Amino acid sequence: MRVTAKAGVGIVAAGLVLTGCAAGSTGGSDGGSENVTISYTNFISNGGNEENLQTIVDAFEEENAGITVEVTTLPYADYATALQTDVAAGTVSDVFDIEYGGFAEYQANGVLAELDVEDPSVYRQSVLEAYQADGAQYALPSSFSTVVLFYNKDLFDAAGLDYPSADWTWSEELAAAEALTDQDAGVWGDHQPVSFFEFYKVLAQNGGQFLNDDGTAVAFNTPEGIEAAEWLVEKSGTVMPTIEQGQGTPDFDTELFTSGNLAMLHTGIWMFGAFADVPFGWDIAVEPGNTQQASALFSNGVAVSADSENQEAAQAFAEFLTSSDVMVQIRLDAGWELPAISDEAELESYLTRGDPENRQAVFDSLDEVALQPVVGEGQQEMQDIMSEELVEAQAGRKSVEDALASAEERINAVIGG
């Protein structure tokens, strides 16, 4: 396993400064009471998995007599604001959900308790390591998803081309995309969003990194970065539609693929359901790289409050919620995101659930991952600037070199580099 992109910690939001108050626990300290109540605030179950979460909680309570878990479920859209408010007020739950993108900021503020994981080997190491800082564990991964290469088997068959394979590089992908593109017929060979989220990944695939080692400045304005940006923007109008043709608009790529007019699509495994009933054969492969492979990894995690009065019980619940057999079975049965466990035997049923046939690629994509660069309160502005500058290059209003130079200057001004 190799993590191929740096995740830096920069500016810390003032609203996250701890007040020193105790966490929102209703029970006594560990070891000082037979009965302990811990609180858990989440967004992962909102929208249809509330009962599934309760089943996991019930199983935990049955195995851990004397520990009661009080669950609060919030909509994803409200969760980040609510968590920041609770942290600032000192009322954060004993256990709470956290996205990888927000992990570094909370960890830098001392919000998260350091965890002594009983058996780290039960987790996928690349996902587990996403929630580490200075060699210590500060959250546990509850689920993951990755970006892979989707492809239309019928279009490949009609063109007499071999399907994408695990050893493909950018050059093989581009050659296939060129052969499959028929603009007169409205058929395109490839689609990859021109955005921050794709750029940091292809940068890693080309041996570069988005931030410097300590996360205080960008490091993408390099030959590797220029080549990575060119890989994205030069597809437009050649093997991928232009902005004027709709590229970049919401759901454009999904509709193009489901219509049968797109041969290859870079997107996440969360799209399996959306493509389940398309009238053509399709499958997936690990995304090609240039000098190496690197797949974008997205993950939700579970953290324990550093101020929890019941940290032992809280950590026991966090581990059960992220690694127990009960949790794995419920998630797989419900199609409720993938658990970040290492035992592939437990996940075997996932591999045989129909299209895509090559579901093994989901797990293979974890061998080398590109983690989202994170900087703190300037995160959204950094992402927006990068996407804006790449689109300027895609539209031909700037050269790639000028776009990256501008992005470097603007982002460094935001993050203090």
Side-chain angles (χ1 to χ4, degrees), residues 20-363:
C21 299
S25 173
T26 58
S29 59
D30 291 337
S33 172
E34 289 186 6
N35 297 302
V36 171
T37 298
I38 59 173
S39 52
Y40 169 49
T41 300
N42 81 97
F43 63 81
I44 59 169
S45 70
N46 179 249
N49 284 295
E50 294 88 349
E51 291 185 6
N52 290 323
L53 173 60
Q54 190 58 53
T55 301
I56 298 171
V57 170
D58 291 344
F60 171 77
E61 291 177 343
E62 185 176 348
E63 290 189 18
N64 295 270
I67 303 178
T68 300
V69 182
E70 292 184 345
V71 176
T72 299
T73 300
L74 298 175
Y76 176 78
D78 301 335
Y79 185 81
T81 299
L83 180 58
Q84 290 180 5
T85 300
D86 284 343
V87 169
T91 57
V92 69
S93 293
D94 297 288
V95 183
F96 54 93
D97 284 351
I98 188 170
E99 289 184 293
Y100 170 73
F103 165 73
E105 189 170 358
Y106 286 106
Q107 191 279 325
N109 265 302
V111 175
L112 313 180
E114 182 177 340
L115 305 178
D116 182 14
V117 183
E118 181 177 352
D119 183 9
S121 69
V122 301
Y123 298 97
R124 290 267 171 179
Q125 291 305 294
S126 57
V127 192
L128 185 69
E129 290 172 8
Y131 297 98
Q132 293 177 0
D134 299 324
Q137 197 72 46
Y138 288 95
L140 298 174
S142 57
S143 66
F144 77 90
S145 56
T146 58
V147 172
V148 294
L149 183 68
F150 290 70
Y151 61 93
N152 181 319
K153 295 168 70 173
D154 288 11
L155 290 177
F156 272 81
D157 290 343
L161 297 177
D162 293 335
Y163 298 149
S165 65
D167 59 356
W168 262 25
T169 63
W170 288 354
S171 61
E172 281 84 12
E173 180 181 344
L174 182 59
E178 290 173 342
L180 289 159
T181 297
D182 183 349
Q183 294 193 35
D184 292 337
V187 176
W188 297 92
D190 208 352
H191 188 283
Q192 188 165 16
V194 179
S195 70
F196 162 83
F197 286 99
E198 288 297 316
F199 177 66
Y200 78 74
K201 178 188 63 181
V202 299
L203 180 62
Q205 292 171 354
N206 202 34
Q209 61 189 62
F210 194 93
L211 297 171
N212 62 9
D213 288 341
D214 59 9
T216 58
V218 303
F220 57 69
N221 192 11
T222 61
E224 293 82 6
I226 291 170
E227 188 175 19
E230 289 173 344
W231 168 246
L232 288 180
V233 305
E234 291 182 359
K235 291 183 180 183
S236 185
T238 56
V239 298
M240 179 173 79
T242 63
I243 295 171
E244 292 75 19
Q245 292 168 317
Q247 195 281 327
T249 57
D251 299 324
F252 175 83
D253 53 348
T254 300
E255 293 172 2
L256 193 62
F257 189 76
T258 56
S259 71
N261 292 318
L262 178 61
M264 292 180 285
L265 171 62
H266 296 255
T267 192
I269 62 174
W270 52 83
M271 295 303 296
F272 287 177
F275 299 155
D277 298 322
V278 296
F280 54 83
W282 62 279
D283 209 340
I284 62 170
V286 176
E287 282 189 298
N290 195 27
T291 64
Q292 61 190 30
Q293 287 179 319
S295 301
L297 169 68
F298 299 94
S299 172
N300 295 321
V302 176
V304 173
S305 168
D307 277 0
S308 172
E309 295 178 355
N310 297 301
Q311 290 196 13
E312 184 177 335
Q315 178 168 328
F317 176 64
E319 292 195 44
F320 191 92
L321 186 62
T322 57
S323 65
S324 66
D325 292 342
V326 171
M327 175 277 300
V328 171
Q329 195 58 54
I330 287 173
R331 279 190 174 274
L332 292 180
D333 288 346
W336 178 24
E337 299 184 332
L338 277 171
I341 63 167
S342 60
D343 188 350
E344 292 195 6
E346 285 197 73
L347 300 171
E348 187 172 353
S349 64
Y350 175 79
L351 299 176
T352 57
R353 294 195 171 205
D355 289 339
E357 182 179 354
N358 185 27
R359 287 176 177 247
Q360 181 62 44
V362 174
F363 303 117

